[in-house]
Amino acid sequence: MEKPELIAALRAILPPEAVIDDPDALQPYRTDWIGVDVGDLDVAVLPADGEEVVEVVRLALAAGLPLVARGAGTGLAGGARPKRGGVVVGTARMQQVEGVDVANRRALVQPGLINYEFSEGLKPLGYFFAPDPASWKMCTLGGNFANNSGGPRCMKYGVTTNHVLALELAMHDGRLLWTGDGIQDSAGYDLTGLVIGSEGTFGLITRAMVKLTRLPEANRVVLALFHDIVTACEVVSAVLAAGLLPTALEVMDGTTMLAVNRAQNAGLPEEAGAALIIEVDGVEEGLDDMLAEITGICRQHGAIRLQAAASAEEQERLWSARRSAFASFHTIAPAYHLVDTVVPRTRLPAMMAHVKRLSAEYGLPIANVFHAGDGNLHPLVLYDPADAEQTHKAHAITAEVLKLSIAEGGTVSGEHGIGVEKQDYLATIFTEAELQAQAAVYAIFNPNDSLNPAKVFPKGHAPLALAAAHRARLAHADGRPETGDRSLQSPISNLQSLIVPQSLDELSEALRAAHAAGAIVTTSYSTDQAQSSIVKSASRRPYGQRQSASPEAPPEPVEGLVEGSISLAALNRVLHYNPDDLTISVEAGMTLAALQALLARHGQMLPLDGPLPETTTIGEVVANGWDGPRRLGYGLPRDMVLGLTVVQVDSTVLRFGGQVVKNVSGYDMVKLFVGSRNTLGVIAAVSLRVYPQPQTEATLLAQFPSRA
């Protein structure tokens, strides 16, 4: 189909104003917030619903053109820039709230809805939508889904993925697919969690079922001023170490306050080197006591001044100043280069010292405004893009900050995504095998490379080629490897008996031997389970074997293959724990009871409750997606797992996620493995978000005359 024919076909299904092909009118659709023009574009369309999106997808497919989804254009990583031309699908006409189900705390929405307007519309019902990016008065929900956006409140309430129940996708071939049924306990793989943060490369989001959060009874906001930004960051660590969990802890440096005052007349005190915005919310009773503890910590660290927002209007003015920061820097520099990265919270002071040093070394000012409570920093290098030397320095500083963030235990993007701005940095945090695994998923959703192509993956790492390499590495014929040693010579014992690896290397070697022999492997997390039966439930379904019709019946044997059982019970060590970061990494064989006992010594806990905590392991909980009665307040395991170490069937070790609470560096493969019952790989280690133990607890038992 030629372009004129395509335009005519689009105008036959959409209103005239919803098909844009004039070159001047197309200009805004070529770029995003950063304002970089990346080349040609064939046409932009503005469908009103999923059915129209499907028709657009089918026409673009017939014309051989790629598709790029676009919300409000507030992205900061180039995710919505049409790198290879094609059709931009804007969501400006898809702004409906199709239904609000207060009883079940959920709503059905279209992707073009503005985040702030949605949340404001829920207030009369006593609810709000918790994710709140700084650009929430402009950005769309679809853009938030595509980038797994965060915001100030996500320290307490979590990022976008924690508040989405299901997505409707227009697939690459024009089919509409729901990733779930809108219920937290959806069966099967967590496709919703996988699609969130995939930056439009898995499909075009046409509708979403999202969770609603009850409005807190009360809140308090305080502005704390400090001499320097390092001290402000140290206060953040001290607050968390004290077992307190505020709603938000946001930092602005003096340069940022100057810019906001000039642009917004915000009246922020410029005499300080840094300001820390503190918000707490919850039940009225006890809220002032919590705030008093936090402000006391601020005083202990030499706060210059503590300024409480006495009214809702004052709170709004303060938050408006923070949220308008990025748009205010034009008052002090022609341009800025924004670095979105994240480190463990306790490494923020070190990172701020690094940033200060880089500013002095390169002779360029760097402003800082960021989500300190999440370790998500945003150095903004201020420069003149007309000056080639300054431009080169700005990019060099960016590279240095990202490298230092990785060295400090962080990653390259906390909330803005990868897009085109950071795609080459993924090769610095992922191995080739880890990129291949992500590409294997990409190839399922995007087999023609037609959905937002040339994004996310590093240049020179074509995702479909990576996916082909992944398939070749795992290839079997009739359940047997094409090549390999079938003699089962291995330092591990015979696969027909129970194997209990003592280390990750031994686990990997056991799987290598099984793969070479074409063996069926059952994994468990306790020796007793493994000895009682090779397969008793779907949680221990073996590789390469069909599920039997009856859950209790043994699976059908595969002729010529041996069977073996591997127990991870001996993999029960703590790998990393810094209580002040509220994260911990452990091997998957650690029991819940042992983990809770360790956390309790530091006034912390994991809000998960297994049926038998003395024998239930964290690996079982994560592999099965088990939860417990505290799910209403804290969420499911998917909301607490930050990172995983997984061993694939051929022994390849993959690591996804990490020790940080915000992470949009590549696809959220962690969500895919949580609840996968080890059918995609053996979960060997888990990184978790942990919580301060509540200062008080109360339990109410209510009895009623009937179930109704």
Side-chain angles (χ1 to χ4, degrees):
M1 182 186 298
E2 297 297 325
K3 181 176 177 179
E5 186 181 357
L6 170 65
I7 300 299
L10 289 170
R11 288 190 169 132
I13 62 171
L14 298 172
E17 68 275 10
V19 180
I20 304 163
D21 65 337
D22 177 76
D24 292 334
L26 282 175
Q27 184 62 27
Y29 296 92
R30 293 191 172 101
T31 186
D32 56 10
W33 188 261
I34 300 300
V36 178
D37 189 352
V38 297
D40 198 12
L41 174 62
D42 293 276
V43 62
V45 296
L46 304 173
D49 54 37
E51 287 69 27
E52 289 186 355
V53 173
V54 164
E55 293 300 319
V56 169
V57 171
R58 289 171 179 167
L59 289 172
L61 184 65
L65 293 176
L67 294 129
V68 179
R70 176 188 172 86
T74 59
L76 292 161
R81 300 179 202 165
K83 289 286 287 181
R84 294 180 182 171
V87 181
V88 166
V89 182
T91 59
R93 294 175 63 230
M94 303 176 71
Q95 299 187 9
Q96 300 301 310
V97 178
E98 297 188 13
V100 176
D101 181 359
V102 172
N104 291 302
R105 296 190 178 191
R106 60 185 186 177
L108 182 64
V109 298
Q110 290 186 324
L113 189 60
I114 301 299
N115 181 301
Y116 175 81
E117 293 176 1
F118 176 48
S119 214
E120 284 294 295
L122 294 169
K123 278 187 176 180
L125 302 174
Y127 289 85
F128 71 109
F129 184 61
D132 62 332
S135 59
W136 71 334
K137 289 191 176 182
M138 299 179 289
C139 66
T140 64
L141 295 181
N144 299 166
F145 303 149
N147 289 304
N148 193 18
S149 302
R153 288 190 301 224
C154 73
M155 177 181 176
K156 177 177 180 178
Y157 291 105
V159 293
T160 295
T161 190
N162 305 122
H163 299 273
V164 182
L165 297 168
L167 296 168
E168 184 185 63
L169 282 181
M171 305 294 286
H172 69 95
D173 56 3
R175 289 176 298 149
L176 280 178
L177 167 75
W178 274 101
T179 60
D181 55 12
I183 298 173
Q184 284 187 314
D185 299 283
S186 292
Y189 300 120
D190 186 358
L191 298 184
T192 303
L194 180 65
V195 171
I196 293 172
S198 61
E199 304 190 31
T201 60
F202 289 177
L204 304 172
I205 297 171
T206 55
R207 288 193 292 177
M209 185 75 74
V210 298
K211 286 198 289 187
L212 308 181
T213 301
R214 188 75 182 175
L215 282 168
E217 185 176 308
N219 74 323
R220 307 282 189 271
V221 178
V222 168
L223 182 70
L225 302 179
F226 298 90
H227 288 293
D228 59 81
I229 198 166
V230 171
T231 303
C233 292
E234 290 171 346
V235 168
V236 170
S237 293
V239 167
L240 298 174
L244 303 166
L245 188 61
T247 309
L249 291 170
E250 297 284 301
V251 165
M252 295 186 290
D253 68 3
T255 304
T256 301
M257 289 188 282
L258 173 64
V260 172
N261 282 344
R262 288 182 177 180
Q264 313 292 333
N265 194 26
L268 294 174
E270 296 176 17
E271 70 271 16
L276 176 63
I277 302 175
I278 304 161
E279 179 170 349
V280 297
D281 70 14
V283 179
E284 179 82 42
E285 184 179 357
L287 206 56
D288 288 330
D289 293 338
M290 179 192 295
L291 188 60
E293 286 190 64
I294 296 173
T295 54
I297 293 171
C298 291
R299 291 190 182 95
Q300 292 169 12
H301 284 76
I304 301 171
R305 192 195 333 163
L306 293 166
Q307 177 180 321
S311 65
E313 291 74 21
E314 287 186 31
Q315 291 181 8
E316 176 58 29
R317 281 198 296 272
L318 189 56
W319 277 118
S320 179
R322 160 62 185 93
R323 294 180 187 279
S324 65
F326 288 172
S328 300
F329 285 107
H330 70 276
T331 61
I332 56 178
Y336 61 79
H337 203 283
L338 171 64
V339 190
D340 162 48
T341 184
V342 60
V343 295
R345 297 174 176 104
T346 54
R347 304 312 301 158
L348 276 175
M351 283 302 302
M352 289 299 98
H354 287 315
V355 169
K356 183 178 180 180
R357 172 180 56 80
L358 291 171
S359 178
E361 285 181 8
Y362 285 90
L364 287 179
I366 303 178
N368 293 279
V369 52
F370 55 94
H371 312 301
D374 303 306
N376 186 192
L377 59 151
H378 294 320
L380 296 102
V381 185
L382 307 177
Y383 74 107
D384 183 355
D387 185 321
E389 183 180 2
Q390 287 193 24
T391 301
H392 173 75
K393 288 181 177 180
H395 287 278
I397 291 172
T398 296
E400 289 281 351
V401 170
L402 293 174
K403 184 168 65 175
L404 288 164
S405 296
I406 296 169
E408 295 288 356
T411 190
V412 297
S413 184
E415 60 184 357
H416 295 168
I418 298 300
V420 296
E421 294 295 323
K422 292 183 177 177
Q423 57 189 145
D424 288 337
Y425 291 102
L426 284 195
T428 67
I429 60 173
F430 290 121
T431 65
E432 187 77 4
E434 289 158 356
L435 288 173
Q436 287 177 6
Q438 294 179 72
V441 178
Y442 178 101
I444 295 294
F445 285 92
N446 198 356
N448 303 318
D449 210 17
S450 59
L451 299 171
N452 206 13
K455 307 289 175 60
V456 182
F457 289 90
K459 298 182 186 72
H461 291 72
L464 296 183
L466 287 170
H470 183 268
R471 286 194 301 272
R473 177 162 55 80
L474 302 184
H476 282 66
D478 298 325
R480 300 171 182 269
E482 294 176 352
T483 59
D485 180 10
R486 299 182 56 78
S487 64
L488 295 185
Q489 297 301 315
S490 167
I492 314 298
S493 59
N494 189 309
L495 280 174
Q496 291 177 309
S497 62
L498 174 65
I499 302 169
V500 186
Q502 302 298 303
S503 66
L504 179 65
D505 287 343
E506 287 192 3
L507 170 61
S508 178
E509 175 60 20
L511 288 171
R512 185 207 63 77
H515 186 67
I520 295 170
V521 177
T522 299
T523 57
S524 69
Y525 290 96
S526 81
T527 304
D528 292 342
Q529 288 174 341
Q531 288 176 331
S532 64
S533 174
I534 287 184
V535 177
K536 278 283 188 182
S537 72
S539 66
R540 296 185 295 278
R541 181 179 174 187
Y543 291 111
Q545 192 162 339
R546 296 184 298 277
Q547 181 89 17
S548 60
S550 167
E552 296 301 320
E556 302 172 21
V558 179
E559 185 178 353
L561 298 184
V562 297
E563 295 181 352
S565 185
I566 298 176
S567 168
L568 278 71
L571 300 183
N572 55 19
R573 293 169 283 264
V574 176
L575 300 176
H576 179 82
Y577 181 34
N578 187 335
D580 294 356
D581 283 327
L582 293 179
T583 62
I584 189 170
S585 294
V586 298
E587 291 179 324
M590 175 173 282
T591 65
L592 272 178
L595 177 59
Q596 299 286 25
L598 170 63
L599 295 173
R601 293 199 291 271
H602 299 276
Q604 296 175 352
M605 57 94 180
L606 182 69
L608 290 175
D609 308 278
L612 297 168
E614 295 296 337
T615 57
T616 299
T617 65
I618 190 63
E620 284 180 283
V621 171
V622 173
N624 289 286
W626 288 339
D627 57 59
R630 287 183 283 183
R631 54 186 278 167
L632 181 63
Y634 293 96
L636 305 178
R638 73 187 294 277
D639 301 309
M640 302 169 203
V641 179
L642 303 176
L644 292 174
T645 298
V646 177
V647 186
Q648 287 188 291
V649 65
D650 73 329
S651 82
T652 301
V653 177
L654 306 176
R655 291 179 174 86
F656 296 112
Q659 285 283 133
V660 291
V661 295
K662 291 172 73 176
N663 190 345
V664 293
S665 301
Y667 299 136
D668 194 349
M669 300 290 283
V670 170
K671 294 292 189 298
L672 185 61
F673 284 100
V674 174
S676 67
R677 292 165 171 80
N678 278 355
T679 57
L680 304 176
V682 179
I683 296 172
V686 184
S687 295
L688 297 154
R689 175 183 182 178
V690 299
Y691 296 79
Q693 289 181 339
Q695 294 182 333
T696 59
E697 293 184 51
T699 301
L700 172 68
L701 177 64
Q703 299 185 41
F704 297 90
S706 70
R707 184 176 300 171

